[in-house]
Amino acid sequence: EIVLTQSPGTLSLSPGERATLSCRASQSVSSSYLAWYQQKPGQAPRLLIYGASSRATGIPDRFSGSGSGTDFTLTISRLEPEDFAVYYCQQYGSSPLFGGGTKVEIK
Amino acid sequence: QVQLVESGGGLVKPGGSLRLSCAASGFTFSDYYMSWIRQAPGKGLEWVSYISSSGSTIYYADSVKGRFTISRDNAKNSLYLQMNSLRAEDTAVYYCARAPGGEFPVNWFDPWGQGTLVTVSS
């Protein structure tokens, strides 16, 4: 069974800075079947990226996804105040599985 | 707009049962796979179950297999989760989500409902 490890656990940054979040799989993820979600406190997760690099409808272009195989990255080019949240990756090449999350907090 | 609204959560004793519902609107419900995903308090996300657009194909996570039953009524644009033999570890917010990608397991989740809290405690 694939295990997804997200790092760092917490990222402390200031608005305007660049955020780089990592999602590492214990086995290769088929066909880059990887998604990213954003979750704010008390809210449901929101899809940001699917297929490792395709932005979901309505997602600003400051969010980008990259990677393949076992290493994937979500990059937020310039953090806006509304971007401080928890981010989850999910693989769907086999039974759906989520990573443990990365919290992006205000420094 | 696309909307999913869950209901049916609440407090139940260990060993008890609960039925969750998810009302869908704003899209052709019968065209899409649907899923339930849960999140224990303060924890991460766990996929629970999938159902195909027709209801003919169903998958479960090992943690709920044999205890939970997913179903849908396309005429009512509704998704259901019957939960039996509930355990303390089933305590979570349960989300329904549309799965737009295609056949299992090739599916991400978009959008999600607001969730309904299930608490299993004596």
Side-chain angles (χ1 to χ4, degrees):
Chain A
E1 179 181 291
I2 293 178
V3 175
L4 294 179
T5 302
Q6 291 189 241
S7 61
T10 302
L11 197 51
S12 298
L13 295 168
S14 301
E17 290 194 292
R18 181 183 187 90
T20 303
L21 287 66
S22 171
C23 177
R24 180 161 292 176
S26 58
Q27 306 170 36
S28 183
V29 175
S30 306
S31 303
S32 296
Y33 287 154
L34 191 108
W36 289 93
Y37 302 85
Q38 176 193 68
Q39 186 177 34
K40 297 178 182 179
Q43 295 185 17
R46 177 177 72 144
L47 176 70
L48 300 174
I49 301 286
Y50 63 96
S53 60
S54 297
R55 263 189 306 276
T57 302
I59 301 303
D61 60 8
R62 64 180 181 273
F63 291 92
S64 63
S66 63
S68 64
T70 60
D71 289 300
F72 298 87
T73 300
L74 176 70
T75 302
I76 310 170
S77 58
R78 287 179 57 86
L79 282 164
E80 298 287 341
E82 63 267 27
D83 298 337
F84 292 91
V86 178
Y87 292 83
Y88 293 97
C89 59
Q90 176 227 336
Q91 71 83 27
Y92 49 95
S94 59
S95 191
L97 180 70
F98 294 89
T102 290
K103 181 180 182 181
V104 179
E105 66 175 22
I106 299 176
K107 187 174 182 181
Chain B
Q1 75 282 19
V2 175
Q3 192 170 15
L4 299 168
V5 179
E6 301 93 336
S7 60
L11 175 63
V12 60
K13 290 181 169 54
S17 298
L18 212 54
R19 189 194 197 208
L20 306 183
S21 299
C22 171
S25 60
F27 65 102
T28 304
F29 181 70
S30 58
D31 284 349
Y32 288 89
Y33 269 71
M34 297 294 295
S35 195
W36 289 98
I37 301 142
R38 67 185 181 183
Q39 185 171 35
K43 302 296 185 183
L45 300 164
E46 180 188 17
W47 167 74
V48 172
S49 183
Y50 263 128
I51 186 167
S52 64
S53 53
S54 66
S56 61
T57 304
I58 286 171
Y59 299 92
Y60 297 101
D62 288 344
S63 58
V64 306
K65 202 173 293 182
R67 301 186 300 122
F68 290 12
T69 303
I70 191 172
S71 63
R72 65 191 296 161
D73 185 335
N74 286 342
K76 294 183 178 180
N77 291 337
S78 293
L79 176 72
Y80 305 102
L81 186 68
Q82 176 67 42
M83 303 186 296
N84 298 331
S85 303
L86 282 161
R87 307 166 179 166
E89 54 265 35
D90 295 319
T91 294
V93 174
Y94 285 74
Y95 297 100
C96 70
R98 189 177 67 173
E103 292 189 10
F104 184 89
V106 183
N107 251 311
W108 54 96
F109 305 110
D110 179 49
W112 301 50
Q114 87 288 350
T116 187
L117 176 62
V118 172
T119 303
V120 184
S121 175
S122 54

